[in-house]
Amino acid sequence: MRRGLRVPMDDGVELLADLHLPVGAAEPRLPTVVVRSPYGRHGSLTHAPALAGAGFTVLVQSCRGTGGSGGRFRPQLDEQRDGMATHRWVRRQPWFTGTVATYGESYLGYTQWAVAGRMCRDDPGNAPDALCLNVTMADFGAVTWNRGAFSLAGSLGWSRRMALRGMRGALVRAWLARRPDRKLAEAFDVLPLSHGDTAVAGHPIAWYQDWLAHEKLTDDYWTRQSHTASVPDVTAPVYLATGWYDIFLPWQLRNYAQLAAAGRPPRLTIGPWDHGSEQSPFLAESIAFLKEHFAGAPATRPAPVRAFLTGAQRWHDLPAWPPPGTAARRWYLHPRGRLDVAVPNGGSTGYTYDPDRPTPALGGPGLAAGPVDNRAHERRADVAVFRSPPLGHAVVLAGEPIARVRFRSTAASADVFIRICDVHPDGRSMSVCDGIRRVGGVGTAATDPRPDADGFVELEVPLWPAFHRFAAGHRVGVQVSSGAHPRYARNPGSGAPAATAATTVRAHQEISHGGAHPSRLDLPVWT
């Protein structure tokens, strides 16, 4: 190892990096692997020792303002310019092996998307020659404000952890990380939201304030750090890995679809994992992927896509995602909690949402996530539940379900949260996937549908992608509620900016089963 290499950026700031060199004779055809991280250079997240042990030359760099690197850390904002400068610098070094691959997960994956498309288009001679991306996406704004709802637990929790990284002493940080974070739990309930960072860290956190101040994803703050538009410009081979319970799953699969539409489908693995899972084969599959492309190693996959079918607990090798043969099947929400393929005759279902006692989050994507039994949750008065008859044969869900709900609220702003569950014969109601959509918010004003003559709006709510088998005799369950706090910050109901809203409005919500387009769910079914 060579520690503390100083890599100059275009503005003169130097970023620190460590170089891992394989012991003995290196395989000359293998690429130099570049890993850029805000979490330090010595943790297990970089996988640098294992990559070097497999024969790769590996450079691990601390992002600006982290791990001793110069400058100020501004999440996402500087990764493109710093990443491009780093790639140019790597190719001038005497230890450079002739090609470059990028590697990493979560934020480490975002740093790859930040440079790849732009450099492939504008600077192909210095662009990465392959990308290995795990549980990540090209636009963190979209997950921060998911269809108008603020991802409170993830955003404030991550900001809290990054603040802890600034504390002196690894033992202090480790001790705090093992304890229940009571201060964070209390901060989730603070209103206005702009006071939450002070409650948890003792001071405002600059980027957290920026996130809250920009509810509109069309703001320049977000558009200049989004790299979704440049994904189709990536010409290098790409390997993607993700999990059905990962926080970035929908967007990562849309990035896959962008490259597939451009004629360059990536290799893809989707397993029964959450964002922090240690079961993902990302490291081993990345090494195999890179050795196939650069060293002529034999292929290790019979098909480009490998996906785990939940409910059946088995893997499938597929030519593409979603798999060929998938078609939408429409199910309607009926009065008295029925879910059926028949069109309803009218009526409505109502419930009351109280932001002072918000509907709690139960399960869903995240760290240590997976299917959760919703039986007790479904007995809440602020959760409307719909169930199909027992299925006469197995049904396989494969893709991104879309709910279209005719909805109205007595509040100026409201959220619609939809969850699909697999209802077992013994009564268990196990979560499969879910999604949220806000109406009447600052960030949704430009896309909110107009109310009809009865005050209903038809809201389209894409749910998390899924690959799940509902067994014969099971039932499809659907929940409709108005929140999942603190996974998403509760909607106060006033329509005021989320950062400053402190007044709450108790609201009556109503789901219509009539009209030209009754409330329904389009399920992508694989046959």
Side-chain angles (χ1 to χ4, degrees), residues 84-109:
M84 292 170 66
T86 299
H87 277 269
R88 297 186 187 110
W89 179 85
V90 164
R91 289 181 178 270
R92 298 195 298 266
Q93 304 312 303
W95 38 260
F96 174 56
T97 60
T99 53
V100 170
T102 56
Y103 178 93
E105 55 196 79
S106 195
Y107 196 102
L108 286 66

Side-chain angles (χ1 to χ4, degrees), residues 156 160 183 187 190 192-205 208-209:
L156 189 56
R160 163 73 161 158
K183 184 174 286 190
V190 169
L193 291 178
S194 57
H195 291 180
D197 51 351
T198 298
V200 80
H203 57 83
I205 299 173
Y208 186 77
Q209 294 295 320

Side-chain angles (χ1 to χ4, degrees), residues 211-439:
W211 296 344
L212 284 172
H214 297 92
E215 283 190 58
K216 299 178 182 178
L217 292 179
T218 53
D219 287 353
D220 179 67
Y221 175 81
W222 292 117
T223 58
R224 61 193 168 107
Q225 57 182 282
S226 171
H227 306 289
T228 300
S230 67
V231 167
D233 294 323
V234 176
T235 54
V238 174
Y239 164 65
L240 300 174
T242 186
W244 295 122
Y245 314 112
D246 181 60
I247 59 175
F248 299 129
L249 173 67
W251 300 277
Q252 186 159 0
L253 292 185
R254 290 169 199 159
N255 293 153
Y256 165 88
Q258 287 179 284
L259 287 170
R264 295 180 291 277
R267 181 173 297 185
L268 174 65
T269 298
I270 321 171
W273 310 308
D274 55 43
H275 192 65
S277 176
E278 296 181 357
Q279 304 303 313
S280 168
F282 176 56
L283 172 62
E285 290 194 352
S286 294
I287 290 172
F289 171 77
L290 294 175
K291 288 190 173 182
E292 286 176 37
H293 277 282
F294 294 97
T300 57
R301 297 273 288 260
V305 175
R306 190 165 187 255
F308 187 83
L309 179 63
T310 61
Q313 308 305 105
R314 63 173 180 260
W315 288 94
H316 283 264
D317 293 303
L318 305 168
W321 182 262
T326 301
R329 299 276 182 87
R330 181 160 290 176
W331 294 72
Y332 290 92
L333 309 184
H334 285 248
R336 295 180 293 280
R338 192 161 60 92
L339 182 71
D340 204 296
V341 295
V343 179
N345 294 320
S348 66
T349 299
Y351 59 92
T352 298
Y353 175 73
D354 186 351
D356 291 331
R357 286 178 287 277
T359 313
L362 179 72
L367 298 171
V372 177
D373 189 350
N374 282 245
R375 275 180 293 188
H377 186 75
E378 290 175 349
R379 289 195 288 269
R380 291 181 58 94
D382 55 0
V383 178
V385 179
F386 304 86
R387 289 181 174 176
S388 74
L391 298 171
H393 56 83
V395 173
V396 175
L397 176 65
E400 188 173 276
I402 298 178
R404 293 177 170 87
V405 180
R406 290 191 73 226
F407 176 84
R408 69 182 176 188
S409 173
T410 57
S413 179
D415 294 343
V416 174
F417 182 80
I418 310 288
R419 169 168 286 166
I420 295 176
C421 290
D422 184 341
V423 184
H424 293 234
D426 62 7
R428 285 175 296 149
S429 182
M430 306 302 294
S431 53
V432 175
C433 60
D434 54 45
I436 196 166
R437 167 70 154 89
R438 176 161 295 185
V439 62

